[in-house]
Amino acid sequence: MSSVAACATVGIAMAQGVLAASFFISGQKFQVTADSLTARGFSLYGMVDVTKKHELVPVVVSGFRDATVRGLCQSILVDIPVLGTQTLRLTGGDDRPAEASNLFIDATAESANGANFSGLDVGVAQGAMTKGPVEPKDRDSRFFAPDGVGQQALSTTLTDLRVSAVAVSAGTFSVPGLRLRLERGSHPCP
């Protein structure tokens, strides 16, 4: 079966509800950094991701309805037989910002040098969040707690963002000046 046919088959199955629109995570952590991330519609809630081996990974999900990202970097260590450890680095959004819609970052750690929020609600029930997005597959998950504590805001700007993530997904993601590089050794994002 060609890859196009396979994708079409999966897409039809998802549309018909035969398959869930989700994925198993690898469980390997990777680093995402950004000089700044500005978003309209922000949410933050707890979740559990599942690896293909059915291991449970607790995460904090940051959701951004419409986001612009400047100085994007993503790095992950890859062990290649015979060649050893390599770093796969993806960068972009330097001259013009990257733009994303319905961006979700499943993180195990997250920090920002500065965080500004407008219309902030802390302690809102996860099932009642409306200002920021909640991943549809999360709402249907047995690990989603509708009465669990969440955070939301009309908008946010995060500067010098540093994230240790296990998954990133987006409805759309446009990255001007995209560069992908594989380098020998460990070269994490700055």
Side-chain angles (χ1 to χ4, degrees):
M1 180 183 288
S2 74
S3 60
V4 173
C7 288
T9 301
V10 170
I12 291 167
M14 287 168 53
Q16 294 175 340
V18 176
L19 292 176
S22 62
F23 57 90
F24 288 114
I25 64 166
S26 70
Q28 184 172 355
K29 293 179 185 171
F30 56 93
Q31 186 177 27
V32 178
T33 65
D35 295 339
S36 68
L37 186 153
T38 301
R40 284 186 308 107
F42 167 74
S43 61
L44 184 75
Y45 57 95
M47 195 59 204
V48 175
D49 286 349
V50 181
T51 69
K52 192 170 180 182
K53 295 178 180 179
H54 301 286
E55 297 166 332
L56 305 180
V57 180
V59 295
V60 174
V61 178
S62 295
F64 307 93
R65 183 163 287 124
D66 293 297
T68 57
V69 184
R70 291 192 177 276
L72 172 67
C73 180
Q74 177 182 316
S75 64
I76 187 166
L77 293 178
V78 180
D79 285 321
I80 299 176
V82 180
L83 297 178
T85 301
Q86 307 283 319
T87 301
L88 178 62
R89 269 179 76 161
L90 177 146
T91 58
D94 294 326
D95 296 331
R96 290 182 299 137
E99 296 180 356
S101 65
N102 293 319
L103 173 64
F104 296 96
I105 303 173
D106 294 17
T108 57
E110 195 169 317
S111 67
N113 193 31
N116 295 306
F117 301 95
S118 173
L120 176 66
D121 299 322
V122 178
V124 65
Q126 289 180 181
M129 290 192 293
T130 58
K131 293 180 181 178
V134 174
E135 173 67 59
K137 71 171 178 63
D138 289 350
R139 281 199 194 275
D140 297 334
S141 170
R142 66 185 170 118
F143 300 112
F144 185 76
D147 296 324
V149 66
Q151 180 174 319
Q152 65 179 355
L154 292 172
S155 64
T156 185
T157 299
L158 306 170
T159 55
D160 195 21
L161 180 63
R162 302 286 178 261
V163 181
S164 178
V166 293
V168 174
S169 62
T172 63
F173 207 140
S174 172
V175 185
L178 175 69
R179 293 175 302 283
L180 183 64
R181 185 171 62 227
L182 188 64
E183 296 180 79
R184 181 180 304 235
S186 177
H187 302 281
C189 294

